[in-house]
Amino acid sequence: MTRTEEVEIEGVPMVATLVPGRGGIGLLALHGSNEGGTAQLAELVARRCAATSLVFTQPRVRPPVHIPSPRLGPEHCALLREFLARVSLTVSLHGHLRPETPHTIFLGGRNRTAAHVLAEALTATAPDFRAVTDPTAIPPGLRGMHPGNPVNLTRLGGVQVELPLLARTSGGADIPPGPVVEALVAGVEELLTCGAPRRDPGLC
């Protein structure tokens, strides 16, 4: 059953929307109003995989305020605490606007095994985009390695997926392109099939 919670973080009113699912994978969009298409992508992939999703939006704030992920902690939101307790691994969807990498998807976060699983799915199904997993090749602000970042607070950590505009919108609207949706669905389903992946190599 879908549930919502109104929260205020650093003076910014937000709405958190949780859709519980099955399995140990959760889709998270912390900046649903700031980073177009990420909320829609989290909801689509979670629905297709019967996974849990949690999306934060700022429906009454114009323009939306970007609060860094480590400052959007569970102490602010009961639904985030429930999300973190419900799932063992998080796939956190974000958007970047790096002009030098308009076709690059960066896969950060502390679960490097899961990052490689998602990268393989993206390479196979969304070949127009380059999937980067090497943390040293990811811009520091996009690596998602901070211990307080919600992507790293589940039992097995998670993957911070930083998507360029072309990988999360289409036709000037917040409609994720089909190949990216299909790739993330395939990657999440692989993670679900293999069980909760460890942080170290050796999945499945």
Side-chain angles (χ1 to χ4, degrees):
M1 179 183 297
T2 301
R3 300 201 303 283
T4 62
E5 178 185 2
E6 293 189 5
V7 298
E8 185 173 303
I9 302 175
E10 299 186 4
V12 180
M14 301 183 185
V15 175
T17 302
L18 177 73
V19 182
R22 301 188 300 274
I25 311 296
L27 280 295
L28 180 64
L30 291 170
H31 303 117
S33 294
N34 309 72
E35 299 167 351
T38 57
Q40 293 79 3
L41 191 55
E43 291 165 351
L44 276 169
V45 173
R47 187 181 312 121
R48 290 274 302 275
C49 299
T52 296
S53 67
L54 179 63
V55 171
F56 285 80
T57 55
Q58 300 175 27
R60 297 188 298 278
V61 181
R62 294 291 181 272
V65 178
H66 185 278
I67 298 175
S69 300
R71 303 206 313 250
L72 296 170
E75 67 273 16
H76 300 294
C77 178
L79 288 183
L80 178 55
R81 293 193 293 274
E82 179 178 337
F83 174 89
L84 295 173
R86 176 179 289 273
V87 307
S88 57
L89 184 142
T90 299
V91 176
S92 187
L93 302 177
H94 296 258
H96 75 81
L97 294 171
R98 304 290 170 122
E100 68 278 12
T101 53
H103 293 89
T104 301
I105 298 173
F106 298 106
L107 296 145
R110 293 194 166 194
N111 193 313
R112 307 313 304 149
T113 301
H116 284 281
V117 171
L118 294 182
E120 290 175 4
L122 286 162
T123 299
T125 309
D128 289 344
F129 299 97
R130 175 172 172 251
V132 174
T133 57
D134 180 358
T136 65
I138 300 175
L142 305 182
R143 290 176 185 168
M145 296 293 185
H146 191 287
N149 188 327
V151 72
N152 298 315
L153 295 180
T154 41
R155 181 170 59 88
L156 296 172
V159 185
Q160 181 155 307
V161 183
E162 291 278 357
L163 300 136
L165 191 64
L166 293 171
R168 52 190 167 88
T169 66
S170 54
D174 292 344
I175 302 173
V180 175
V181 175
E182 296 301 324
L184 289 176
V185 167
V188 170
E189 287 182 340
E190 176 69 14
L191 292 173
L192 288 166
T193 298
C194 291
R198 300 188 298 273
R199 296 173 191 256
D200 54 276
L203 176 64
C204 293

